[in-house]
Amino acid sequence: MSHPHDHRLRGVLSPVLTPFELDRKPSAEGLVRHCRTLVEQGVGLAVFGTNSEAASMSVAEKRTLLDALLSAGLPPERMMPGTGACAIPDAVELTRHAVQAGCAGVLVLPPFYYKGVSDEGLFRAYANLIEGVGDERLRVYLYHIPPVSGVPITLGLIERLLKAYPKQIAGAKDSSGDWENTAAMVREFAADGFDVFPGSEVFLLPGLRAGAVGCITATANVNAAEIMHLYREWQTPQADAWHERIRKIRGIFQAFPMISAMKEAVAWQSGDDAWRIVRPPLVELSDEQSLELRRQLADADYRLPMADALWYSE
Amino acid sequence: MSHPHDHRLRGVLSPVLTPFELDRKPSAEGLVRHCRTLVEQGVGLAVFGTNSEAASMSVAEKRTLLDALLSAGLPPERMMPGTGACAIPDAVELTRHAVQAGCAGVLVLPPFYYKGVSDEGLFRAYANLIEGVGDERLRVYLYHIPPVSGVPITLGLIERLLKAYPKQIAGAKDSSGDWENTAAMVREFAADGFDVFPGSEVFLLPGLRAGAVGCITATANVNAAEIMHLYREWQTPQADAWHERIRKIRGIFQAFPMISAMKEAVAWQSGDDAWRIVRPPLVELSDEQSLELRRQLADADYRLPMADALWYSE
């Protein structure tokens, strides 16, 4: 008998960085290449996340990119695109597109413009989305990232949503950085088939030990091999040492404007300087920051992680 | 010789409430009627503001509503639609549409998803918008509303933008609620033709005395006559008494979820219960809240302000 969740997303996923051309238009070709490298290493594709600069792209741009990934043969069963938006019609449009494309799940921010809104209002927002899409295949992962969105997903809201939509509500990404909250999500809801992904590899090992199913972490863009190694070996005696190792690398990236720092590292790895480009309101690293990042990573014996995977050679 | 700003927006503008149908689609017909009543009373149309639930509507929905207003003959020279968005392509699309329609100005939120971004990043966001629209007629009003957007428009950013785009940067709406900041905007930039609108009638009188050009205030949706009276009579001895009067009415609405409370009042005035509808994540007032609002307004001798304007009869 198969495990009831065998078909579900688990393991390490990456909010995939989005490459832009010199005119700041998204580069579908660059995104396909980067996604291929991630998938080859075992990393799932949480495209259109916070670290993908998803909020800085229109719905039409995201639809086009998703179509390009699917046309290139990237596996929808390893995809959890971010489809949340302030306007529910936008969220419905992109979510429906993802579901019809066969994506395993969608990661859904709450509407994030208004602050201090009630759980009742957020419940209605997710309910409107689920009923607006109206597709049995929809699997929603709730995206709790209060430091950025300003709008938390409370345990009470999860409970209400799970009761109303037990099949559609599949889990959550917890990017609160608050381990107690992640542990509470697992404790309260994992038994109901609610899959919890901490939002950082810093919580991958404690998460797996507590009953989380993996993690969704930005630094998988630049440190996939080491993070995947911990995921595969988490039950071995070496796990704690790997945990410390990946914490250290993450700490280096996190001390810089993180999206820009990761794009800088991908630019070195790929030899393609356009990878440095970000959309406003983000700003690329200065030359000084870039040198300092490189120095700190070298001191930490950070290897360009994609080299072994024949990065960018096809 | 005419005053150099005679053609510019000034006075009292309202972030016009957006009526929805029972299926939560925007009601163009209802919006036209409400705008007409506001314009008849002298109030300008800051459609698609925070209180318009603009963030909860798609770009396509907002384009359609703007077209409906113009087709109905409402005056673009009294319009300052909100056109800011997290994604610059969205902001460019709606802004271009507004400029080509002849709108006197646009009120532009900064991209508001990422927090703690630099002035350099915000400068680039506005620069990309202005250059992306590429129309000499564009007049941008910067929208400073940190309690909601989480992304402040600093005095340093205004200075840089005014230097780079002296013709396009026309002013600001200051919804910080911080009078010192409003006064500083006027003191630093009004002489350069930068028009400051406080974001509440509470600052209308002190603002006019300090050199602001009016205000953009939500409660103009429900108390237009009294606010316009203060605007017209601000240099008379009765101004301070009117100031206290409109402060009191605003205070009542503000003690409730304000957008829902204003829609409740318009529903009473119009006799159209659909006006109570809000989009998630907002929630309409409960029956108890509605009764309490009505009681407090009656105690304050609040008259249904639109009655004299033959509200909804055409």
Side-chain angles (χ1 to χ4, degrees):
Chain A
M1 200 179 113
S2 71
H3 187 281
H5 296 155
D6 271 351
H7 61 290
R8 290 176 80 149
L9 287 162
R10 48 184 56 244
V12 177
L13 286 88
S14 178
V16 186
L17 293 167
T18 306
F20 295 107
E21 311 278 5
L22 292 178
D23 59 3
R24 290 205 181 86
K25 291 215 167 69
S27 166
E29 193 189 332
L31 184 64
V32 165
R33 288 186 181 189
H34 188 48
C35 284
R36 235 174 232 156
T37 314
L38 292 171
V39 167
E40 280 166 13
Q41 296 182 91
V43 173
L45 304 175
V47 292
F48 313 149
T50 299
N51 287 278
S52 315
E53 299 172 76
S56 303
M57 292 189 280
S58 68
V59 171
E61 288 177 322
K62 287 179 268 197
R63 287 182 64 141
T64 302
L65 287 177
L66 186 58
D67 289 342
L69 296 180
L70 295 162
S71 300
L74 284 155
E77 64 274 16
R78 292 291 292 150
M79 289 186 196
M80 188 199 288
T83 61
C86 292
I88 291 169
D90 287 340
V92 168
E93 180 185 341
L94 192 56
T95 302
R96 184 181 289 141
H97 195 69
V99 173
Q100 290 175 349
C103 293
V106 290
L107 182 58
V108 183
L109 278 168
F112 53 84
Y113 182 63
Y114 298 101
K115 308 302 188 293
V117 296
S118 64
D119 274 4
E120 171 65 21
L122 294 174
F123 176 83
R124 292 185 192 181
Y126 283 105
N128 281 199
L129 172 67
I130 291 167
E131 292 172 14
V133 172
D135 192 313
E136 279 295 301
R137 297 168 294 175
L138 171 62
R139 295 294 175 275
V140 170
Y141 294 83
L142 306 168
Y143 191 3
H144 178 55
I145 182 169
V148 183
S149 66
V151 179
I153 310 278
T154 65
L155 298 175
L157 175 61
I158 297 172
E159 188 177 1
R160 277 192 67 184
L161 284 167
L162 265 176
K163 194 166 287 181
Y165 304 101
K167 201 165 162 186
Q168 265 67 54
I169 300 295
K173 175 181 182 189
D174 184 0
S175 294
S176 65
D178 172 5
W179 167 251
E180 289 309 316
N181 188 68
T182 310
M185 280 185 179
V186 172
R187 193 173 55 240
E188 300 288 324
F189 308 116
D192 301 327
F194 186 82
D195 291 340
V196 178
F197 292 87
S200 159
E201 69 272 36
V202 167
F203 300 113
L204 177 57
L205 186 58
L208 291 168
R209 285 172 175 164
V213 300
C215 72
I216 303 175
T217 181
T219 27
N221 279 287
V222 289
N223 201 24
E226 295 188 357
I227 297 169
M228 282 305 300
H229 188 84
L230 174 58
Y231 178 63
R232 291 184 177 121
E233 306 283 321
W234 73 275
Q235 285 162 311
T236 68
Q238 295 79 37
D240 286 288
W242 276 105
H243 173 75
E244 286 310 316
R245 164 71 189 168
I246 64 175
R247 267 177 80 101
K248 183 175 177 182
I249 299 300
R250 182 182 177 94
I252 293 173
F253 280 100
Q254 215 163 12
F256 293 84
M258 194 163 151
I259 298 173
S260 303
M262 293 187 296
K263 286 190 141 178
E264 195 77 21
V266 178
W268 305 335
Q269 292 163 20
S270 64
D272 178 1
D273 206 46
W275 260 104
R276 299 181 67 234
I277 298 168
V278 289
R279 278 193 171 175
L282 304 186
V283 175
E284 68 281 358
L285 294 197
S286 68
D287 290 346
E288 293 69 28
Q289 287 174 313
S290 175
L291 280 170
E292 179 62 19
L293 173 63
R294 202 182 265 263
R295 193 190 62 68
Q296 290 187 22
L297 289 173
D299 284 355
D301 287 324
Y302 170 81
R303 294 176 60 230
L304 296 182
M306 308 298 186
D308 294 341
L310 298 177
W311 175 258
Y312 278 128
S313 66
E314 293 187 79
Chain B
M1 200 178 113
S2 71
H3 187 280
H5 294 156
D6 270 353
H7 62 290
R8 291 178 79 149
L9 287 162
R10 49 183 56 247
V12 178
L13 286 87
S14 178
V16 186
L17 293 167
T18 306
F20 296 106
E21 310 278 6
L22 292 178
D23 59 3
R24 290 205 180 85
K25 292 216 167 68
S27 165
E29 192 189 333
L31 184 64
V32 165
R33 288 185 181 186
H34 188 48
C35 284
R36 233 173 234 157
T37 315
L38 292 171
V39 167
E40 280 166 13
Q41 295 181 93
V43 173
L45 304 174
V47 292
F48 313 149
T50 298
N51 288 278
S52 315
E53 300 171 76
S56 304
M57 292 189 280
S58 69
V59 171
E61 288 177 322
K62 287 180 269 197
R63 287 181 64 142
T64 301
L65 287 177
L66 186 57
D67 290 343
L69 296 180
L70 296 162
S71 300
L74 285 155
E77 65 274 16
R78 292 292 291 151
M79 288 186 195
M80 188 198 287
T83 62
C86 292
I88 291 169
D90 287 340
V92 168
E93 180 185 341
L94 191 56
T95 302
R96 184 181 289 141
H97 195 69
V99 173
Q100 289 174 350
C103 293
V106 290
L107 182 57
V108 184
L109 278 169
F112 54 83
Y113 182 64
Y114 298 101
K115 307 301 188 294
V117 296
S118 65
D119 274 4
E120 171 64 22
L122 294 174
F123 176 83
R124 291 185 192 182
Y126 283 105
N128 280 199
L129 172 67
I130 291 167
E131 292 172 16
V133 172
D135 192 312
E136 279 296 301
R137 295 168 295 175
L138 171 62
R139 295 293 177 275
V140 170
Y141 295 83
L142 307 168
Y143 191 3
H144 178 56
I145 183 168
V148 183
S149 67
V151 178
I153 310 278
T154 66
L155 298 175
L157 174 61
I158 297 172
E159 189 177 1
R160 277 193 65 186
L161 284 167
L162 265 177
K163 195 166 287 177
Y165 303 101
K167 201 164 161 191
Q168 264 67 54
I169 301 295
K173 176 182 181 187
D174 184 1
S175 294
S176 65
D178 171 6
W179 168 250
E180 291 310 316
N181 187 68
T182 310
M185 281 185 178
V186 172
R187 194 172 57 238
E188 300 288 324
F189 307 116
D192 300 329
F194 186 83
D195 290 340
V196 178
F197 292 87
S200 159
E201 70 272 36
V202 167
F203 300 113
L204 176 59
L205 186 58
L208 290 168
R209 285 171 176 164
V213 299
C215 72
I216 303 175
T217 182
T219 27
N221 279 287
V222 289
N223 201 23
E226 294 189 357
I227 297 169
M228 282 306 299
H229 188 85
L230 173 58
Y231 177 64
R232 291 184 177 121
E233 307 283 323
W234 72 273
Q235 286 163 310
T236 68
Q238 295 77 38
D240 287 287
W242 276 104
H243 171 76
E244 286 312 314
R245 165 70 190 170
I246 64 176
R247 266 177 80 100
K248 183 176 178 183
I249 299 299
R250 183 183 178 93
I252 293 172
F253 280 100
Q254 215 163 13
F256 293 84
M258 195 162 151
I259 298 172
S260 303
M262 292 186 297
K263 285 190 142 177
E264 194 78 20
V266 178
W268 304 335
Q269 292 163 22
S270 63
D272 178 2
D273 206 46
W275 260 104
R276 297 181 67 235
I277 298 169
V278 290
R279 277 193 171 175
L282 304 185
V283 175
E284 69 280 357
L285 294 197
S286 67
D287 290 348
E288 292 70 27
Q289 286 174 315
S290 176
L291 280 170
E292 179 62 20
L293 173 64
R294 202 182 266 261
R295 195 189 61 70
Q296 290 187 22
L297 289 172
D299 284 355
D301 287 323
Y302 169 83
R303 292 177 62 230
L304 297 182
M306 307 301 187
D308 294 341
L310 297 177
W311 175 257
Y312 278 126
S313 67
E314 293 187 77

